[in-house]
Amino acid sequence: MIQQKNDPIWNLTREQWFQAVCFALCFLAFMLAEAAVNARAAVLLGPERVNAVYALGLVCTGLGFLSFALLRKLIRGEQGRKYAAFLAGALCVASAVLFLITNQTTLFSLCAALCLLSCGHIGGCVYYNHAMTFQGSRCTGRITGIGMGLAVLLQFLIQSVIPLDVIFLISMIGSIFLVVFLMSRAPRDWVLADPLPYSAENETPRRTALILLFAVALMSLVSGLIDGVITAFDSAGTYDIYHGVRLFYALGLILAGWAADLRRRRLLPLATACVILLSSVSTALLSSPAGYFAGVALMYVYSGFYVIFLTVLFCDFAPRTSRPELWAGLGRAVRSFAVAAVVPSMPWLYDAWGSTALTVASCLLSVAVLLVLLPWISRGGQREQSLSPEQALERFCASCRLTPRESEVLCKLLESDDSLQLIAAQLGISVRMVQRYVTAIYEKTGAKSRTGLHQRYTQHMLENR
């Protein structure tokens, strides 16, 4: 097993640093866009309609994430994909300007929907590039958590000091520029140029996909219960959710990011399940001004963990699928649809049933999350007494997060002294492609030569006897 401490974040490549900054800035633009749409809706439509606007915005965002995967499938050429990204960026900026300056409710609704839809499309692009750029990296959680946490801190400073409309447009234009620039660079799709599908007998990817989807949907429902209530409070001016208490969101994101990189992602599901059980009491604390701060703080800490969960684990899973452009942002899309399903009715339910009923519902959903994640948590906590050579090789490939084809190339490198030309002939691919796989294997294992690769594997065998 290769220890994660041997992969510090300061050893990131230039491309990874660029992508990390782009991801954080895109997350900032998302948060500012949602805040700007909700604030404008409260003025034009009234506070009582903000939750409905918020829900429709979430649906648009989720559809935007899915639209990226759809357009990428329909548009095969890289040049066409670049044009699509540029058009999405132009639409995002233009619609943002219009919904901020218009006083017509119909035009505002249309422009806000287009802005969030194009935001989602750009987000799908950024999440896909994030998944491909950090494929196999052991510091994805820390980079993602720190980047998102800094984005929340920047949002706090922006909305406390600088007029929201001005900085919203600046950050939006900046993020769009970075995304378009990223799309104009050489794609990293060579990793999937000759993908090796998982065996039909191996059901782990399908089971993992179902666990991820159900867990994120249930977590989002828990988040939506309190999110709908505090959104209504904020739009009515009862409480403010974007200032001091917002810093707990940054804390949750950073803590969850560090937890994600421990024990090869095994700690993150357990930590998220524990935090969600703790946060289920948040709704019970909203009835008084004194308890409101504590309740929202707990909700924000939990939100940080579950956002990192749906971001990092889906980005890890995406490169191992045949549709990474879909799976990279699918967690975010599921989150949007699930939260949108409960947000509109929460103010009415809170007034009708009170905090006790919502707390019970939150607790039941939290238990359901724990049950869904239990197979993953229990499997992660098991340690076999001994491993066969095949199991040891599979564990080594998993610890280094090799793709299926990289694992096959690794097997050839370890079991024989064949040249790369001969390996290419045996696998039916080009020598250049084998060279790329070998480079990726060296990068992920930390080896610098074929001899070093044997040494790494031997060390792994000794540690897992």
Side-chain angles (χ1 to χ4, degrees):
M1 181 186 304
I2 300 175
Q3 300 297 323
Q4 295 177 356
K5 64 182 180 181
N6 295 330
D7 193 20
I9 60 176
W10 53 83
N11 283 349
L12 295 178
T13 65
R14 182 179 178 182
E15 182 182 33
Q16 288 175 325
W17 279 117
F18 178 86
Q19 173 59 31
V21 172
C22 184
F23 187 87
L25 188 56
C26 185
F27 185 64
L28 171 64
F30 266 121
M31 293 188 295
L32 291 176
E34 285 186 348
V37 169
N38 291 347
R40 193 69 178 149
V43 174
L44 294 180
L45 304 176
E48 67 279 358
R49 296 187 179 180
V50 170
N51 277 48
V53 172
Y54 179 35
L56 291 175
L58 288 171
V59 171
C60 291
T61 300
L63 291 176
F65 271 92
L66 298 180
S67 71
F68 170 75
L70 177 62
L71 282 181
R72 190 168 181 85
K73 183 177 181 180
L74 297 176
I75 304 175
R76 297 294 183 179
E78 286 301 319
Q79 195 65 31
R81 291 171 176 174
K82 294 174 186 177
Y83 287 141
F86 175 79
L87 291 176
L91 177 62
C92 186
V93 173
S95 56
V97 172
L98 287 175
F99 87 70
L100 287 172
I101 65 175
T102 185
N103 290 321
Q104 298 180 6
T105 57
T106 303
L107 183 59
F108 160 77
S109 302
L110 177 61
C111 292
L114 290 176
C115 178
L116 293 174
L117 181 67
S118 53
C119 261
H121 182 88
I122 294 166
C125 168
V126 172
Y127 273 62
Y128 168 69
N129 281 281
H130 200 69
M132 302 310 297
T133 301
F134 286 95
Q135 180 185 187
S137 174
R138 298 177 185 86
C139 60
T140 307
R142 283 165 287 170
I143 287 296
T144 305
I146 293 173
M148 286 181 159
L150 291 176
V152 172
L153 291 175
L154 186 56
Q155 182 196 24
F156 169 75
L157 294 175
I158 288 170
Q159 296 187 233
S160 300
V161 179
I162 307 173
L164 175 61
D165 293 355
V166 175
I167 200 63
F168 163 68
L169 289 177
I170 293 175
S171 64
M172 181 69 70
I173 293 172
S175 64
I176 298 308
F177 172 79
L178 282 176
V179 170
V180 173
F181 178 71
L182 182 65
M183 289 293 291
S184 68
R185 303 182 65 179
R188 292 175 59 89
D189 289 357
W190 62 265
V191 177
L192 299 170
D194 185 46
L196 178 69
Y198 284 95
S199 170
E201 299 177 355
N202 186 358
E203 297 181 359
T204 301
R206 180 177 297 178
R207 184 168 60 250
T208 301
L210 291 176
I211 291 175
L212 287 173
L213 291 173
F214 278 112
V216 169
L218 291 172
M219 290 177 186
S220 301
L221 291 176
V222 176
S223 178
L225 291 179
I226 187 172
D227 198 10
V229 176
I230 65 174
T231 298
F233 284 164
D234 180 74
S235 61
T238 307
Y239 299 113
D240 191 345
I241 63 175
Y242 290 111
H243 288 86
V245 71
R246 184 77 171 178
L247 297 179
F248 284 91
Y249 189 23
L251 176 64
L253 289 166
I254 294 173
L255 290 177
W258 282 90
D261 289 339
L262 299 177
R263 297 177 61 83
R264 293 182 295 175
R265 302 283 188 264
R266 291 176 180 173
L267 185 61
L268 181 60
L270 178 60
T272 305
C274 292
V275 173
I276 192 176
L277 288 172
L278 177 63
S279 70
S280 62
V281 302
S282 298
T283 312
L285 300 174
L286 297 180
S287 56
S288 67
Y292 173 82
F293 186 91
V296 176
L298 285 174
M299 186 275 293
Y300 273 139
V301 172
Y302 156 65
S303 295
F305 272 82
Y306 115 89
V307 166
I308 292 297
F309 180 94
L310 67 87
T311 300
V312 174
L313 294 187
F314 272 88
C315 283
D316 277 353
F317 183 70
R320 296 175 178 270
T321 68
S322 59
R323 296 293 307 279
E325 67 276 10
L326 172 64
W327 282 97
L330 191 57
R332 196 74 188 184
V334 171
R335 177 258 177 192
S336 296
F337 295 138
V339 174
V342 296
V343 160
S345 60
M346 289 317 301
W348 178 82
L349 292 176
Y350 184 79
D351 292 336
W353 295 349
S355 60
T356 302
L358 297 185
T359 300
V360 172
S362 179
C363 289
L364 292 175
L365 288 171
S366 300
V367 172
V369 171
L370 183 60
L371 293 176
V372 169
L373 292 177
L374 192 59
W376 191 336
I377 295 172
S378 61
R379 187 171 68 247
Q382 293 176 352
R383 185 178 182 86
E384 298 177 7
Q385 297 297 324
S386 61
L387 297 174
S388 67
E390 293 79 10
Q391 291 172 325
L393 180 60
E394 182 179 354
R395 183 71 61 83
F396 181 69
C397 294
S399 69
C400 299
R401 292 192 171 81
L402 301 183
T403 64
R405 182 61 98 178
E406 288 168 357
S407 300
E408 190 178 35
V409 172
L410 172 67
C411 183
K412 296 290 185 181
L413 294 174
L414 293 176
E415 293 180 350
S416 69
D417 294 326
D418 294 342
S419 65
L420 298 187
Q421 289 83 354
L422 185 55
I423 292 176
Q426 293 171 349
L427 298 179
I429 58 179
S430 67
V431 176
R432 183 182 179 187
M433 187 61 65
V434 172
Q435 291 172 339
R436 286 175 168 176
Y437 285 129
V438 171
T439 300
I441 291 170
Y442 285 168
E443 180 181 349
K444 293 179 181 181
T445 59
K448 297 183 179 179
S449 64
R450 201 162 178 173
T451 300
L453 189 61
H454 279 274
Q455 293 173 346
R456 292 280 187 175
Y457 178 66
T458 301
Q459 177 187 358
H460 171 83
M461 288 284 289
L462 292 175
E463 292 177 353
N464 289 274
R465 286 186 302 178

